[in-house]
């Protein structure tokens, strides 16, 4: 998504300046061109050589004396400017419209989106003057990625730690994404379910939630309103979506049914357990020196139920298969009355459960089939949303 974009990273003088190297590196990995602007104070914390090595180009450090006579104007023609970290000083100068150096002059000339990532001691962050400056800039359309709470450079705990590069990367993607799903209401499920046997044991599966969360993030970034119903996962919850955490298939069914009528697009990515133990022991089952037989009973098929009730919704299912992937996916599409099913060959290396990448095929109700190459789960999510948008437009 960032391929071909020009994203300027401004680095100011804070202890978190070293984290900018990771951000620059991640942006380069995604195909962006990344000019770096450093203030004098930033160069006290990290050497320009780090960024020059990562980007393959010289770092911009001043208004005068470089090969380019107007660096603030040339750089202002970029797609986005992110200041990471942003000190109280640079935020104050931006709020007052001052331009004593290249970075602040660039902020004055910049017309595309600007993201500021404050990082400083909590005493400075909590200062009402700084908070007023942030508010003023937010009202002018600047996007802020707030600092985290944790151990600060002074050794004490407080709010002021620079947000991680991954969070900023997500904000960048969100700001730059086309808003072509604006106003649409999505219901997305993700993760596994847990089916309890006794108070300490359950059966579940290996779903990490990565695929479903990527869909929720991508839809949110493209302007949709998203309800995400998720089984237990250990990955970060996407911000800016309505999150409903559940444990069992029955709880997922209840959450999904209560949001179904209000949704226009429903994507069932969760790995719902097909069975649950037939009885739930109130006490921990004791170990005995004999075989233990557990009887299972079928869970409700949530997607089947949605398919039989659907009215205006676009209904999308996933099919996690290890053999005859397409045949099984087509059978599920028909049986569950879906508009589209994502055929997921979970036996393939780098695809399916827990991986960061996925390789899927999209099977349509009218028989069409699109095979997608292996790509990261967020890119799969965007390709899926592209075809859903087409379905909505030609419906
Ligand atoms: O979470 P990750 O680690 O990123 O892994 C992603 C994934 C492999 C879980 C995902 O890509 C995927 O394939 N999800 C579907 C998993 C699944 O349960 O597939 P299924 O073929 O068993 O079910 C078919 C469809 O019916 C699915 O949309 C499922 O959500 C739904 N279903 C299944 C059983 C049930 N009782 N109720 C349901 O609604």
């Amino acid at each position: 998504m960032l391929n071909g974009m020009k994203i300027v990273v401004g680095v100011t003088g804070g202890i978190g300046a070293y984290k900018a190297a990771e951000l620059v590196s991640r942006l380069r990995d995604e195909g962006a061109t990344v000019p770096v602007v450093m203030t004098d104070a930033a160069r006290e914390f990290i050497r320009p050589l780090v960024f020059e090595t990562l980007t393959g180009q010289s770092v911009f450090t001043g208004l005068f004396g470089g090969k380019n006579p107007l660096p603030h104007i040339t750089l202002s023609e970029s797609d986005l400017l992110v200041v990471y970290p942003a000190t109280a000083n640079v935020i104050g100068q931006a709020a007052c419209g001052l331009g004593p150096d290249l970075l602040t002059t660039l902020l004055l000339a910049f017309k595309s989106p600007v993201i500021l990532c404050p990082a400083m001691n909590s005493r400075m962050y909590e200062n009402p003057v700084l908070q007023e400056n942030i508010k003023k800039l937010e009202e002018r359309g600047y996007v802020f990625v707030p600092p985290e709470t944790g151990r600060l450079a002074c050794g004490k705990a407080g709010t002021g730690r620079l947000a991680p590069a991954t969070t900023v990367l997500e904000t960048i993607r969100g700001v730059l994404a086309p808003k072509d799903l604006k106003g649409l209401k999505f219901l997305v499920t993700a993760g596994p379910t847990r089916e309890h046997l006794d108070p300490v044991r359950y059966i579940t599966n290996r779903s990490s939630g990565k695929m479903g969360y990527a869909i929720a993030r991508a839809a949110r970034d493209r302007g949709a309103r998203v309800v995400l119903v998720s089984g237990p996962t250990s990955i970060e919850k996407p911000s800016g979506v309505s999150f409903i955490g559940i444990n069992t298939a029955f709880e997922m069914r209840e959450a999904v049914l209560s949001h179904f009528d209000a949704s226009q697009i429903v994507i069932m990515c969760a790995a719902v357990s097909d069975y649950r133990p037939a009885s739930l022991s109130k006490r921990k089952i004791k170990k005995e020196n004999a075989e233990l037989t557990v009887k299972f009973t079928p869970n409700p098929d949530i997607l089947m139920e949605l398919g039989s009730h659907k009215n205006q919704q676009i209904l999308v299912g996933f099919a996690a298969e290890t053999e005859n992937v397409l045949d099984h996916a087509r059978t599920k599409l028909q049986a569950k009355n879906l508009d589209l099913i994502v055929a997921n060959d979970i036996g393939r290396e780098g695809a399916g459960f827990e991986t960061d990448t996925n390789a899927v095929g999209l099977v349509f109700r009218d028989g069409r089939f699109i095979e997608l190459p292996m790509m990261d789960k967020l890119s799969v999510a965007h390709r899926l949303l592209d075809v859903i948008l087409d379905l909505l437009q030609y419906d």
Side-chain angles (χ1 to χ4, degrees), residues 186-242:
F186 276 68
L187 174 59
V188 180
T189 66
T193 62
R194 281 181 185 171
E195 310 299 334
H196 294 272
L197 187 58
D198 72 10
V200 295
R201 300 182 180 96
Y202 50 78
I203 64 154
T204 186
N205 58 66
R206 285 172 36 222
S207 173
S208 62
K210 286 180 187 173
M211 188 66 246
Y213 284 26
I215 296 169
R217 284 197 171 95
R220 171 206 66 190
D221 287 349
R222 291 167 71 160
R225 282 163 59 190
V226 181
V227 174
L228 174 61
V229 179
S230 171
T233 69
S234 57
I235 60 170
E236 203 178 321
K237 297 181 181 65
S239 56
V241 308
S242 302

Side-chain angles (χ1 to χ4, degrees), residues 271-288:
V272 187
S273 182
D274 289 321
Y275 293 91
R276 67 183 186 281
S279 62
L280 171 63
S281 168
K282 283 200 176 119
R283 296 201 184 132
K284 184 182 167 197
I285 298 168
K286 286 287 173 204
K287 182 181 148 193
E288 280 169 23

Side-chain angles (χ1 to χ4, degrees), residues 99-384:
D101 61 9
L102 175 57
L103 183 59
T104 45
T105 314
L106 177 60
L107 280 163
L108 280 169
F110 215 80
K111 292 213 167 121
S112 301
V114 174
I115 299 175
L116 296 172
C117 312
M120 62 201 75
N121 189 274
S122 55
R123 289 177 180 221
M124 293 163 75
Y125 187 65
E126 284 155 13
N127 189 314
V129 177
L130 179 88
Q131 290 300 324
E132 272 169 33
N133 286 337
I134 290 178
K135 196 162 168 258
K136 201 186 222 183
L137 290 169
E138 275 179 336
E139 282 165 8
R140 292 200 185 126
Y142 287 64
V143 175
F144 278 82
V145 180
E148 295 193 329
T149 302
R151 202 170 73 85
L152 303 172
C154 65
K156 291 187 183 158
T159 302
R161 274 172 71 91
L162 184 62
T166 47
T167 309
V168 178
L169 200 60
E170 196 166 310
T171 308
I172 292 173
R173 286 202 196 100
V175 168
L176 290 176
K179 302 294 176 249
D180 51 2
L181 301 177
K182 198 168 168 55
L184 290 170
K185 291 181 189 156
F186 276 68
L187 174 59
V188 180
T189 66
T193 62
R194 281 181 185 171
E195 310 299 334
H196 294 272
L197 187 58
D198 72 10
V200 295
R201 300 182 180 96
Y202 50 78
I203 64 154
T204 186
N205 58 66
R206 285 172 36 222
S207 173
S208 62
K210 286 180 187 173
M211 188 66 246
Y213 284 26
I215 296 169
R217 284 197 171 95
R220 171 206 66 190
D221 287 349
R222 291 167 71 160
R225 282 163 59 190
V226 181
V227 174
L228 174 61
V229 179
S230 171
T233 69
S234 57
I235 60 170
E236 203 178 321
K237 297 181 181 65
S239 56
V241 308
S242 302
F243 185 90
I244 303 172
I246 56 88
N247 273 301
T248 64
F250 268 99
E251 288 168 8
M252 180 167 276
R253 175 180 175 271
E254 201 184 314
V256 165
L257 289 182
S258 68
H259 285 87
F260 185 61
D261 286 342
S263 307
Q264 286 146 304
I265 298 100
V266 181
I267 306 177
M268 283 288 297
C269 182
V272 187
S273 182
D274 289 321
Y275 293 91
R276 67 183 186 281
S279 62
L280 171 63
S281 168
K282 283 200 176 119
R283 296 201 184 132
K284 184 182 167 197
I285 298 168
K286 286 287 173 204
K287 182 181 148 193
E288 280 169 23
N289 285 332
E291 282 183 354
L292 174 71
T293 305
V294 178
K295 204 170 161 199
F296 288 96
T297 188
N299 264 332
D301 190 316
I302 306 168
L303 191 52
M304 182 85 86
E305 201 172 336
L306 299 181
S308 64
H309 284 109
K310 98 177 161 105
N311 36 66
Q312 97 295 354
Q313 290 93 350
I314 300 267
L315 193 53
V316 181
F318 270 69
E321 305 291 348
T322 49
E323 65 221 331
N324 300 329
V325 179
L326 277 184
D327 288 347
H328 288 313
R330 287 200 172 103
T331 306
K332 284 179 183 172
L333 177 122
Q334 294 296 337
K336 302 191 186 200
N337 190 25
L338 309 179
D339 297 283
L340 173 63
I341 193 157
V342 182
N344 206 163
D345 182 350
I346 54 170
R348 202 169 145 190
E349 178 90 31
F353 290 87
E354 293 172 316
T355 52
D356 290 329
T357 49
N358 210 355
V360 302
L362 308 177
V363 185
F364 295 79
R365 202 183 172 81
D366 62 9
R368 270 182 308 136
F369 172 65
I370 300 175
E371 186 166 11
L372 300 182
M374 181 88 66
M375 54 182 101
D376 64 83
K377 284 183 172 169
L378 192 65
S379 301
V380 173
H382 276 291
R383 296 291 290 272
L384 175 62

